[in-house]
Amino acid sequence: MSYRNICVDNATVCSGASCVVPESNFNNILSVVLSTVLTILLALVMFSMGCNVEIKKFLGHMKRPWGICVGFLCQFGIMPLMGFILSVAFDVLPVQAVVVLIMGCCPGGTASNILAYWVDGDMDLSVSMTTCSTLLALGMMPLCLLIYTKMWVDSGSIIIPYDNIGTSLVALVVPVSIGMFVNHKWPQKAKIILKIGSIAGAILIVLIAVVGGILYQSAWIIHPNLWIIGTIFPVAGYTLGFLLARIAGQPWHRCRTVAFETGMQNTQLCSTIVQLSFTPEELNVVFTFPLIYSIFQLAFAGIFVGFYVAYKKCHGKNKAELPESKENETKPESLSYEMNGGFQPDEK
């Protein structure tokens, strides 16, 4: 019997029906290209986020940091703890638990600023919280991982790639800082860059889904527990962020702002850190979680915004719907659009 038709053309050794084929470098090359493109696009997104920060208003919030302190407690207290509780409760793999925790430690992105604008939130607080959480993630993410992954690290189940995670976080500080400088010097150009960055963020999510689906095909066989965690996690963030802000005595419009800043995580950052930090074998079981979280955080955010808009229409002007006009120490909500020109429609 001839095996000529059985063996492939590029086989190096053939013995009966068994063939040895050289390992393909396609996936390795594609992985390197994906990591490079993700890093560049993420840098552009973070640069555009920096272009949304007005230094004077940012420093003003730093002088009265109560709102930012509440946001910090939500971002690096509630979210990592909730990620740990969900990981233990649903008994996910150690590497999956690490990715859930990374998601919980990620700062908010430009999406949270847009949502805060749509619900008449405190735009200055939203942008300041996003900026602070992005800068503080440099130290807080490794610290939270050190605290919450101890049970898996001590048992030898997982090794946390702190060096890769740290490198990814350091790379964020530079474009954010440059963006803040650009907004200070050339505010009109910064608005254009902000819109470009929003488009880049959308492209980044699509790119991660498409190319990741090619590279890590088995990752799409998703364990039901990850779907459940991806559903509960953002809702818990929105709810607990709102409640904690209210308990801290914040006015209603700031409660809405803190809620979105807490639950709306920078999934592009999480995906990039995961891609740069873990091996292909580990990525096969964790790569899709940031995408799952992204789907549900946007879905629930859309529901909450829809409820808020419907409530406003049913109860007239925003000042009449809640007693926040008496509590606000800052500008009225009806003028919140003036606080952030980056999200205004272009005047014709």
Side-chain angles (χ1 to χ4, degrees):
M1 176 180 177
S2 174
Y3 295 99
R4 181 173 297 176
N5 294 331
I6 297 178
C7 290
V8 294
D9 293 336
N10 63 336
T12 54
V13 178
C14 289
S15 177
S18 300
C19 300
V20 177
V21 181
E23 184 179 354
S24 173
N25 288 326
F26 175 75
N27 276 8
N28 292 334
I29 295 172
L30 190 59
S31 179
V32 172
V33 172
L34 176 62
S35 299
T36 304
V37 174
L38 287 182
T39 304
I40 294 172
L41 282 177
L42 182 64
L44 177 58
V45 171
M46 302 311 292
F47 171 61
S48 69
M49 192 196 79
C51 289
N52 197 34
V53 179
E54 294 185 28
I55 296 178
K56 290 182 180 179
K57 293 180 179 179
F58 176 71
L59 294 177
H61 270 287
M62 296 306 294
K63 292 177 181 178
R64 295 177 296 170
W66 184 235
I68 290 181
C69 289
V70 173
F72 173 83
L73 181 59
C74 293
Q75 189 68 66
F76 297 111
I78 288 178
M79 291 301 283
L81 177 60
M82 182 57 61
F84 175 76
I85 292 172
L86 290 173
S87 298
V88 173
F90 290 98
D91 193 28
V92 297
L93 297 174
V95 67
Q96 292 173 332
V98 171
V99 174
V100 172
L101 286 167
I102 290 175
M103 177 61 75
C105 297
C106 278
T110 52
S112 61
N113 305 145
I114 296 172
L115 288 167
Y117 169 72
W118 284 345
V119 296
D120 300 319
D122 187 332
M123 290 303 302
D124 289 341
L125 177 62
S126 177
V127 174
S128 297
M129 282 182 62
T130 300
T131 306
C132 286
S133 62
T134 300
L135 299 176
L136 291 172
L138 181 61
M140 291 306 299
M141 183 182 290
L143 178 61
C144 290
L145 290 176
L146 179 65
I147 294 171
Y148 289 112
T149 62
K150 187 174 177 60
M151 61 180 290
W152 295 295
V153 172
D154 288 349
S155 65
S157 301
I158 186 69
I159 298 175
I160 309 298
Y162 287 110
D163 51 347
N164 293 336
I165 293 173
T167 302
S168 303
L169 292 171
V170 169
L172 296 181
V173 177
V174 177
V176 170
S177 303
I178 295 175
M180 293 172 67
F181 176 77
V182 169
N183 190 31
H184 179 67
K185 285 288 187 180
W186 306 284
Q188 294 302 320
K189 292 182 179 178
K191 292 179 183 178
I192 299 174
I193 295 172
L194 177 61
K195 294 176 182 178
I196 295 173
S198 301
I199 297 172
I203 294 173
L204 191 57
I205 293 175
V206 174
L207 184 68
I208 290 169
V210 174
V211 181
I214 298 173
L215 277 174
Y216 315 112
Q217 295 180 14
S218 61
W220 295 103
I221 304 174
I222 304 167
H223 196 279
N225 286 352
L226 284 182
W227 281 107
I228 297 173
I229 293 175
T231 305
I232 296 175
F233 206 178
V235 176
Y238 293 139
T239 305
L240 294 175
F242 185 91
L243 292 177
L244 184 60
R246 195 58 191 161
I247 291 171
Q250 295 297 297
W252 292 102
H253 73 301
R254 286 191 175 181
C255 291
R256 296 194 294 270
T257 303
V258 172
F260 280 120
E261 286 294 329
T262 303
M264 182 63 67
Q265 303 294 78
N266 191 334
T267 54
Q268 299 101 319
L269 171 60
C270 182
S271 294
T272 304
I273 290 176
V274 169
Q275 169 68 23
L276 297 177
S277 302
F278 294 99
T279 64
E281 291 76 16
E282 292 170 329
L283 287 170
N284 276 322
V285 294
V286 301
F287 187 79
T288 50
F289 180 75
L291 299 176
I292 294 172
Y293 188 97
S294 180
I295 291 170
F296 287 106
Q297 75 171 1
L298 291 173
F300 286 113
I303 292 172
F304 295 149
V305 170
F307 274 129
Y308 177 75
V309 172
Y311 191 86
K312 280 178 64 178
K313 288 183 178 179
C314 292
H315 291 77
K317 293 184 179 180
N318 192 36
K319 288 183 179 180
E321 51 116 341
L322 289 171
E324 56 187 320
S325 59
K326 297 180 181 179
E327 300 178 35
N328 289 353
E329 298 177 0
T330 57
K331 295 182 181 181
E333 291 181 49
S334 59
L335 299 179
S336 63
Y337 69 90
E338 295 179 0
M339 298 180 185
N340 193 335
F343 298 111
Q344 296 181 43
D346 293 330
E347 296 182 1
K348 296 184 180 179

